[in-house]
C-alpha cells in the first residue's frame, strides 16, 4: 500500500511530466491500434482475393491481363507506397497478370494511351488528374471505338477522388477505401458512364466524367492555398481579397444548345446468336441483287440544326457557371450538343474534372454510356435506378 501511495505522490509532484507522458502514451496506443486495424483489413482483403486465384480456368482460357497506370506523385508522393501495400497484393493473389506503367510527369498518361495494347482491363491508380488524362488519351485514339469497350477500374490514391465516391462505398479509412475498390475490380460488376467531350477550335478535345466549371468561385477555390498562414480563415480571406480585386465578379458568355432528344437504349451485353445457314444465304443473295450504298455520307450541320441552335441561344451574366454530366439527363432525355462562348479576352480558366484549362469558346457534346467502370454491387444498383 505504501508503494502505491508513493507512486501517486510522485505523479502529483511531477504533474506536468505525468500529463505529457499520458498524452504520448495515448497517442501511441491509438496509432498502434490504427495500424493493427489496417493490417486486419489487408489480411481480409487478401483472403477474399485468394479465392479468385484458386478458381480453375479452362485449357482454352488465359489469365486476365491488366494494365495499371500508376501516378507515383499522387497523394503528395505516397501513391506508390499505398498501391504496393494495399492494391498490388490483391491483384497478384487473384491471379491477374499485372503490367504496371508509372508516369514520370504531368500529361504523360495521355501519350501512354496512344501506345497501349489490347488488354482485358485498364486500371487507373491515382487521383482525378490521372483519371482525366487517361480518359482523354484513350478517347483521342483513332481506334477508340474498340478500346473504349475495355472495362476500367479506378483505385483512389490521389488527394481528390471524386469518381470513387460514385463507384464505391465512401469510407474515412484510406486502406479500406483502396482495398474495397480493388476487390470491386475482381468481382467484375460494371456500370456504363456518360462522358462529356469538350472541344475548342485550337486544341484537341478533352473528355470529362463530371463537368466544366467557370467563374468567380472557381477562381477563389484555386487561390485558397495561398493564404495557408491564416489557418481556418484562409477561405474567407481568399473570397475577401478576390472581391477587392474585382467587383462585381460577374462573367459574361453566350450559350446555345440543341433541344433534348430521347435517350438511347442500353446496348445488349451478350452477343446475339449467329443466324442459321438458310438466313445467311438469303441475306447474301439479297445483298447481291440489292447492293448497299458504299461509302459513308459526309455529315453536315443541317439548316434545321442551325435554326435550333439560334432559337435556344442565350446570353449569360453570372458569377459562376457549372455544367455537369447530370444536367444533360432529365426524365429519359439528354442534350446532344451545346456551344459555350466566352466573348471577353482573358476569361480566366476552366475546371474540367478539377483540372485547369484556359477558358475559351468550346463545343460540349455528350457521349452517352461511352465507358464502363468497375463498381461495387451496391453502387451499381443505385446508378442503375438513377439512369
Amino acid at each position: 500500500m505504501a508503494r502505491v501511495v508513493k507512486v501517486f505522490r510522485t505523479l502529483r509532484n511531477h504533474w506536468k511530466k505525468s500529463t505529457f507522458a499520458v498524452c504520448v502514451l495515448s497517442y501511441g496506443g491509438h496509432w498502434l491500434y490504427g495500424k493493427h486495424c489496417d493490417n486486419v483489413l489487408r489480411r481480409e482483403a487478401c483472403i477474399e482475393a485468394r479465392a479468385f486465384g484458386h478458381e480453375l480456368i479452362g485449357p482454352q482460357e488465359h489469365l486476365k491481363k491488366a494494365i495499371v497506370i500508376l501516378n507515383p506523385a499522387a497523394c503528395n508522393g505516397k501513391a506508390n507506397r499505398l498501391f504496393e501495400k494495399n492494391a498490388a497484393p490483391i491483384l497478384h493473389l487473384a491471379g491477374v497478370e499485372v503490367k504496371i506503367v508509372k508516369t514520370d510527369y504531368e500529361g504523360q498518361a495521355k501519350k501512354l494511351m496512344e501506345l497501349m495494347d489490347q488488354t482485358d482491363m485498364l486500371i487507373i491508380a491515382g487521383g482525378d488528374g490521372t483519371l482525366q488524362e487517361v480518359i482523354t488519351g484513350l478517347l483521342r485514339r483513332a481506334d477508340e471505338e474498340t478500346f473504349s469497350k475495355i472495362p476500367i477500374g479506378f483505385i483512389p490514391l490521389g488527394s481528390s477522388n471524386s469518381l470513387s465516391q460514385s463507384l464505391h462505398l465512401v469510407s474515412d479509412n484510406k486502406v479500406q477505401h483502396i482495398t474495397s475498390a480493388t476487390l470491386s475490380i475482381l468481382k467484375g460488376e460494371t456500370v456504363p458512364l456518360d462522358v462529356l467531350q469538350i472541344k475548342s477550335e485550337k486544341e484537341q478535345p478533352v473528355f470529362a466524367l463530371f463537368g466544366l466549371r467557370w467563374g468567380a468561385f472557381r477562381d477563389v477555390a484555386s487561390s485558397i492555398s495561398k493564404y495557408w498562414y491564416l489557418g481556418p480563415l484562409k477561405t474567407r480571406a481568399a473570397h475577401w481579397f478576390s472581391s477587392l480585386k474585382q467587383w462585381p465578379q460577374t462573367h459574361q458568355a453566350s450559350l446555345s444548345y440543341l433541344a433534348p432528344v430521347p435517350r438511347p437504349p442500353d446496348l445488349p451485353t451478350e452477343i446475339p446468336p449467329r443466324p442459321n445457314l438458310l438466313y445467311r444465304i438469303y441475306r447474301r443473295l439479297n445483298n447481291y441483287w440489292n447492293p448497299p450504298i458504299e461509302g459513308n455520307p459526309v455529315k453536315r450541320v443541317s439548316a434545321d440544326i442551325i435554326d435550333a441552335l439560334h432559337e435556344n441561344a442565350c446570353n449569360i451574366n453570372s458569377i459562376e457557371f457549372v455544367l455537369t454530366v447530370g444536367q444533360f439527363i432529365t426524365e429519359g432525355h439528354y442534350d446532344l450538343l451545346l456551344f459555350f462562348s466566352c466573348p471577353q479576352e482573358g476569361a480566366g480558366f476552366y475546371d474540367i474534372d478539377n483540372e485547369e484549362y484556359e477558358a475559351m469558346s468550346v463545343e460540349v457534346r455528350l457521349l452517352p454510356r461511352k465507358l464502363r467502370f468497375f463498381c461495387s454491387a451496391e453502387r451499381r444498383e443505385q446508378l442503375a435506378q438513377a439512369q
Side-chain angles (χ1 to χ4, degrees):
M1 185 66 183
R3 184 174 298 179
V4 175
V5 173
K6 184 178 180 181
V7 170
F8 278 104
R9 186 178 298 168
T10 303
L11 293 176
R12 184 190 63 183
N13 295 336
H14 302 85
W15 64 271
K16 293 182 180 179
K17 295 180 181 179
S18 302
T19 303
F20 178 76
V22 169
C23 293
V24 171
L25 291 175
S26 300
Y27 178 80
H30 179 72
W31 182 82
L32 290 174
Y33 178 73
K35 291 295 182 182
H36 169 71
C37 293
D38 291 344
N39 290 330
V40 171
L41 290 173
R42 294 188 186 101
R43 183 169 63 249
E44 292 178 352
C46 288
I47 293 173
E48 189 173 352
R50 189 171 56 183
F52 291 96
H54 287 167
E55 294 180 357
L56 299 178
I57 60 175
Q60 303 297 330
E61 299 180 6
H62 63 277
L63 293 177
K64 291 184 178 181
K65 297 181 180 180
I67 295 179
V68 179
I69 305 298
L70 173 62
N71 180 13
C75 195
N76 299 322
K78 301 177 183 177
N80 188 55
R81 181 176 60 85
L82 290 173
F83 179 79
E84 293 295 337
K85 291 189 66 175
N86 304 300
I90 297 175
L91 295 175
H92 292 304
L93 285 172
V96 179
E97 185 179 341
V98 181
K99 181 180 180 181
I100 302 176
V101 181
K102 298 181 181 180
T103 58
D104 297 326
Y105 54 88
E106 184 177 355
Q108 188 183 19
K110 299 177 185 177
K111 300 179 180 179
L112 292 174
M113 287 297 99
E114 299 176 0
L115 307 174
M116 187 183 70
D117 298 328
Q118 188 64 245
T119 182
D120 295 321
M121 63 184 74
L122 174 64
I123 300 176
I124 304 170
D128 288 343
T130 310
L131 175 66
Q132 201 264 342
E133 286 186 15
V134 172
I135 297 305
T136 298
L138 181 68
L139 295 180
R140 281 181 181 177
R141 293 178 61 112
D143 53 354
E144 57 88 13
E145 285 293 338
T146 301
F147 279 82
S148 61
K149 298 177 182 178
I150 299 175
I152 302 174
F154 179 61
I155 300 178
L157 301 180
S159 302
S160 58
N161 308 288
S162 304
L163 181 65
S164 183
Q165 300 176 4
S166 302
L167 300 179
H168 313 293
L169 297 177
V170 181
S171 174
D172 296 333
N173 191 306
K174 189 76 173 180
V175 175
Q176 185 177 6
H177 202 179
I178 296 173
T179 53
S180 62
T182 310
L183 288 173
S184 299
I185 297 174
L186 301 179
K187 294 176 182 178
E189 294 284 348
T190 60
V191 63
L193 295 182
D194 299 334
V195 179
L196 288 183
Q197 176 184 290
I198 304 171
K199 185 178 180 181
S200 66
E201 296 181 355
K202 301 179 182 179
E203 304 291 340
Q204 290 182 294
V206 176
F207 297 88
L209 290 169
F210 307 109
L212 179 147
R213 185 184 179 192
W214 176 64
F217 291 108
R218 189 225 73 87
D219 297 337
V220 171
S222 62
S223 63
I224 290 177
S225 58
K226 297 179 182 179
Y227 305 98
W228 58 269
Y229 49 87
L230 296 177
L233 299 177
K234 60 183 178 181
T235 302
R236 295 180 180 271
H239 284 278
W240 172 254
F241 288 120
S242 177
S243 301
L244 292 179
K245 291 179 182 178
Q246 179 185 359
W247 186 265
Q249 293 183 317
T250 56
H251 290 64
Q252 297 179 356
S254 62
L255 179 70
S256 57
Y257 58 93
L258 291 178
V261 298
R263 187 172 175 81
D266 287 324
L267 297 177
T269 56
E270 297 181 358
I271 300 176
R274 189 180 182 185
N276 55 44
L277 179 61
L278 293 177
Y279 179 77
R280 297 200 303 269
I281 294 174
Y282 165 76
R283 187 172 56 184
R284 285 179 176 272
L285 292 175
N286 187 35
N287 291 336
Y288 176 77
W289 293 109
N290 299 308
I293 300 175
E294 296 183 357
N296 295 325
V298 178
K299 295 183 179 179
R300 300 181 183 274
V301 179
S302 64
D304 296 337
I305 294 179
I306 295 176
D307 294 339
L309 289 171
H310 285 299
E311 290 177 1
N312 296 295
C314 61
N315 294 323
I316 298 175
N317 189 358
S318 178
I319 297 177
E320 186 85 351
F321 176 80
V322 180
L323 175 67
T324 61
V325 176
Q327 289 177 334
F328 282 78
I329 307 167
T330 55
E331 298 181 359
H333 292 73
Y334 73 100
D335 291 330
L336 276 176
L337 192 61
L338 179 146
F339 292 95
F340 184 71
S341 302
C342 304
Q344 68 268 32
E345 295 292 336
F349 295 90
Y350 292 143
D351 259 2
I352 301 176
D353 281 6
N354 297 325
E355 290 295 300
E356 192 174 88
Y357 290 86
E358 182 182 356
M360 61 183 67
S361 300
V362 293
E363 168 195 307
V364 182
R365 185 183 297 272
L366 180 69
L367 307 178
R369 301 184 181 95
K370 186 64 177 178
L371 299 174
R372 298 191 68 87
F373 279 82
F374 292 104
C375 68
S376 63
E378 297 82 0
R379 288 298 188 192
R380 186 177 183 276
E381 294 179 359
Q382 296 176 2
L383 291 173
Q385 294 176 358
Q387 293 180 0

